[in-house]
Amino acid sequence: MSRSVDALQEALKAEHAAVYGYGVVGARLRGALRRSATAHWDAHRLQRDRLMARISQRGARPVAAAPAYRLPVRVTSARTAAELAAALEDGVVTAYAGLAGAPEAALRTLAARAMQEAVARSVRWRNGAGLPRANGAAFPGLPPSALTPRQRPGAEPG
């Protein structure tokens, strides 16, 4: 399978998890917060469907959603629902980071937009619930190793 298809599949897995997780998030919210959760749920469903179509167009079979997901936050209140929503968005950012290195410009653009939207949603959920930034990271969702510069082969140490 090509690197691009593998990266698309990883993004699809994150979208499946987000769709599942937003169902849990929405169950604990009311009013404007619930409407926001529903809009984000719809956005992730649309993105999931688009990714499935892209993968199918490349002759691969899209990964199926799991019957259930282990969620990183136990939702017991509106605050923990917001915490879960932020964590789901962070997972989306991480998954699309792999697609950002795709050889095709269209896939890199897709990844950049998806990551930007997910980071914005994560920040809004955290701010709205009075939660701290994601691990204090400048780039929520990216592993610390992604931010460490690597020496290029043949370059002199700096």
Side-chain angles (χ1 to χ4, degrees):
M1 205 179 287
S2 79
R3 218 176 71 201
S4 293
V5 171
D6 290 344
L8 284 164
Q9 296 281 28
E10 289 304 310
L12 178 57
K13 288 177 190 176
E15 294 294 353
H16 282 315
V19 168
Y20 178 89
Y22 267 104
V24 175
V25 168
R28 286 291 184 172
L29 300 175
R30 301 286 176 258
L33 290 176
R34 188 173 201 170
R35 286 189 293 278
S36 289
T38 300
H40 297 158
W41 180 67
D42 287 338
H44 285 292
R45 288 182 343 153
L46 180 61
Q47 187 71 341
R48 174 203 62 196
D49 294 348
R50 288 178 177 160
L51 288 171
M52 291 173 74
R54 282 183 182 263
I55 292 166
S56 294
Q57 289 167 353
R58 292 168 182 266
R61 173 181 243 153
V63 294
Y69 290 84
R70 177 169 293 205
L71 300 174
V73 176
R74 184 170 177 253
V75 178
T76 59
S77 66
R79 182 180 167 94
T80 56
E83 188 177 350
L84 173 58
L88 293 168
E89 297 297 349
D90 292 344
V92 168
V93 173
T94 300
Y96 278 94
L99 192 56
E104 298 122 85
L107 293 182
R108 292 191 305 270
T109 299
L110 169 74
R113 286 187 179 139
M115 291 168 68
Q116 182 181 28
E117 291 167 4
V119 166
R121 287 188 296 255
S122 176
V123 168
R124 280 193 300 269
W125 282 114
R126 281 191 171 80
N127 286 344
L131 298 167
R133 286 186 301 157
N135 301 324
F139 298 97
L142 288 181
S145 62
L147 303 174
T148 305
R150 293 186 183 96
Q151 186 175 342
R152 290 189 321 239
E156 291 189 27

